[in-house]
Amino acid sequence: MSRRRYVARGVPGGYRIWDNKGRRWWGDHYELCPDGLLTELNGAADQQRITALLKRYRALKR
């Protein structure tokens, strides 16, 4: 069984995305993990789709 590259992990105050291949945090800190992002991480985990979702949610935070 292969490990997923990106996973949402709980951290104090919310969630962050962990990159298993790069072994580092990826993206922003979220107080709540957006449903669309969580669905993509737990599903196909397409990197381009994840990046697009992150940009969308980052723009909404402004």
Side-chain angles (χ1 to χ4, degrees), residues 13-30:
Y15 288 89
R16 294 212 54 199
I17 298 171
W18 178 255
D19 179 353
N20 281 319
K21 185 175 179 181
R23 302 184 55 81
R24 63 185 173 97
W25 294 113
W26 190 72
D28 295 329
H29 176 270
Y30 296 96

Side-chain angles (χ1 to χ4, degrees), residues 27-42:
D28 295 329
H29 176 270
Y30 296 96
E31 289 182 15
L32 299 173
C33 193
D35 290 337
L37 181 58
L38 189 59
T39 301
E40 187 63 32
L41 288 167
N42 290 334

